[in-house]
Amino acid sequence: MRVQIVDNEQFDGSILPDGVSLVEFGAVWCPPCKTLLPILDEIAESYGEAVAVLQVDCDESPDLASRFGVMSMPTVVVFHNGEPVNKLIGLRPRSVYEQVIERYTAASAAG
């Protein structure tokens, strides 16, 4: 799997109803967003179908950015079972994103 680029029309249908979805809110001109993209690609490859990794361009979909309170880029919103549960603002190491994924995939397995 690769990072899937979504807009207003595709967004809601792209969030996994069961499981974990990571949504990166950024822009093509944002240097930290460019640095984050290969990390997200690696995560998407590692987790395959188990985790949806999505990308929203804030310039193309400002309504989505507003809906999730995105004030700076990149912002990664983590969804668990279709609901936003965590927000990571700014560029973080890959391990941080993986820890969040593991927290919620473990919660799904336990529940």
Side-chain angles (χ1 to χ4, degrees):
M1 287 256 350
R2 302 282 307 193
V3 173
Q4 180 183 351
I5 299 169
V6 296
D7 59 19
N8 289 325
E9 294 175 12
Q10 303 150 328
F11 184 83
D12 289 323
S14 299
I15 299 294
L16 296 177
D18 297 309
V20 177
S21 302
L22 293 184
V23 182
E24 185 258 345
F25 290 87
V28 294
W29 51 264
C30 164
C33 302
K34 290 178 185 178
T35 302
L36 178 56
L37 192 55
I39 294 169
L40 294 177
D41 273 335
E42 290 172 7
I43 289 171
E45 296 274 334
S46 295
Y47 287 92
E49 300 287 327
V51 175
V53 183
L54 312 173
Q55 182 182 29
V56 174
D57 187 314
C58 293
D59 291 337
E60 302 279 326
S61 302
D63 294 346
L64 279 176
S66 177
R67 176 174 158 191
F68 293 102
V70 174
M71 302 297 280
S72 63
M73 297 181 280
T75 293
V76 174
V77 179
V78 181
F79 291 78
H80 183 237
N81 297 338
E83 297 296 322
V85 292
N86 205 328
K87 187 186 290 188
L88 301 166
I89 300 167
L91 181 61
R92 307 285 181 92
R94 176 180 172 169
S95 61
V96 172
Y97 302 106
E98 290 175 331
Q99 286 170 1
V100 172
I101 292 168
E102 293 300 325
R103 179 181 326 143
Y104 292 106
T105 53
S108 291

